[in-house]
Amino acid sequence: MTNAVLSWSGGKDSALCLHHALQNPGLRLTHLLTTLNEHYRCVAMHGVRAELLEAQAERIGLPLVPVWLPEMPSMEVYEQRMTDALEHLAAQGVRTTVFGDLHLQDLRAYREQQLARVGWQAEFPIWHKPAAEVMREFIDLGFRAVVVCVNDQHLDQSFCGRELDEHFLRDLPPGVDPCGENGEYHSFVYEAPYFSRPIAVARGEQVHRTYRPAADTENANNDCYRNEPSPFGAGFWYQDLLLAQP
């Protein structure tokens, strides 16, 4: 049996990938690996707060290995911090990473190349599954998720914060990948077949922001979302999610 770590974003693709990996008798999942923005303490691109990822890991029953990255990391910084994390895992007998990628061949080739450099292998359980099939399986298995980020070049603000369900999929404009594979949207899974219990979340404010280096680090732990105007005419809408109070 192969020990493996799963690349975990907290969204639908990694969640469905985990479902398939758990069904593979040849894999033994030992950890979840997540990259986070160390300034805002959120998942890069998704904007999901670190405590929500920790809640997912607790309900899954696997330890979360965070890889903290600066706001706009260079490739050199990104690759070095990922290498450090993999070396830590390799010392525990892990040398395989499982990814939830679907169709982006250049991204898969990059992952395989970088892992090969340090003697690791990659697994892609849902690779090339048709988008409609992925979404149907996700919904039919009982996963539930909130859309937490939309690219305003593809989707307007009204799509942000919605449940990721059949109604959401029916409303997608022509040309938008149902899985958001081209970066159209990202999600947060709050209920899954393998969760010990659902995660109760409360919706906070919606903000529009762009990716540019933060000017300061003041209040970084509490300010995951900045309402910044876009100097480029395009950006992202984010739905802030908070752990609901019991």
Side-chain angles (χ1 to χ4, degrees):
M1 183 176 291
T2 300
N3 291 335
V5 57
L6 189 134
S7 179
W8 182 258
S9 69
K12 61 170 178 54
D13 293 339
S14 60
L16 185 60
C17 174
L18 175 56
H19 169 78
H20 283 270
L22 290 171
Q23 310 307 308
N24 185 341
L27 285 179
R28 176 179 175 268
L29 293 175
T30 63
H31 301 79
L32 304 174
L33 181 70
T34 302
T35 56
L36 297 111
N37 181 312
E38 64 186 3
H39 176 74
Y40 295 119
R41 299 188 65 80
C42 296
V43 182
M45 287 305 298
H46 293 217
V48 173
R49 296 174 182 266
E51 55 263 33
L52 291 172
L53 272 289
E54 292 164 358
Q56 288 178 321
E58 185 271 329
R59 285 155 174 78
I60 294 168
L62 289 174
L64 182 70
V65 178
V67 179
W68 296 101
L69 299 171
E71 171 73 351
M72 294 291 283
S74 65
M75 289 304 297
E76 181 180 4
V77 168
Y78 171 81
E79 291 172 0
Q80 183 58 57
R81 295 196 184 183
M82 286 296 296
T83 298
D84 292 344
L86 295 180
E87 288 178 351
H88 171 73
L89 291 166
Q92 302 177 56
V94 185
R95 287 195 176 273
T96 296
T97 304
V98 181
F99 296 99
D101 297 317
L102 293 168
H103 308 299
L104 302 180
Q105 184 62 53
D106 56 342
L107 180 58
R108 173 171 177 160
Y110 171 78
R111 296 195 195 283
E112 291 176 327
Q113 179 185 28
Q114 293 302 309
L115 288 175
R117 289 177 57 247
V118 293
W120 280 57
Q121 295 183 338
E123 294 281 347
F124 299 85
I126 58 175
W127 180 251
H128 273 176
K129 287 177 70 73
E133 181 180 330
V134 168
M135 295 311 304
R136 171 52 53 198
E137 183 178 20
F138 182 82
I139 293 170
D140 287 350
L141 285 171
F143 288 94
R144 300 190 67 183
V146 177
V147 175
V148 291
C149 172
V150 299
N151 184 328
D152 68 7
Q153 292 183 306
H154 301 282
L155 298 171
D156 63 43
Q157 183 183 0
S158 68
F159 286 90
C160 192
R162 288 181 58 175
E163 287 286 317
L164 181 51
D165 55 17
E166 293 177 352
H167 300 289
F168 177 89
L169 297 172
R170 281 200 299 266
D171 291 344
L172 290 176
V176 171
D177 189 292
C179 291
E181 183 71 353
N182 299 309
E184 295 97 331
Y185 72 89
H186 300 289
S187 60
F188 173 78
V189 173
Y190 64 88
E191 187 169 353
Y194 43 73
F195 279 12
S196 60
R197 63 191 187 283
I199 301 171
V201 295
R203 287 168 174 77
E205 76 172 313
Q206 286 188 4
V207 298
H208 183 271
R209 68 181 297 266
T210 57
Y211 281 88
R212 61 181 180 183
D216 61 76
T217 57
E218 184 179 359
N219 297 322
N221 288 349
N222 300 317
D223 191 9
C224 184
Y225 295 84
R226 291 285 183 87
N227 196 2
E228 298 175 345
S230 168
F232 311 110
F236 300 85
W237 282 103
Y238 288 89
Q239 174 65 62
D240 189 7
L241 292 181
L242 306 167
L243 286 174
Q245 296 299 316

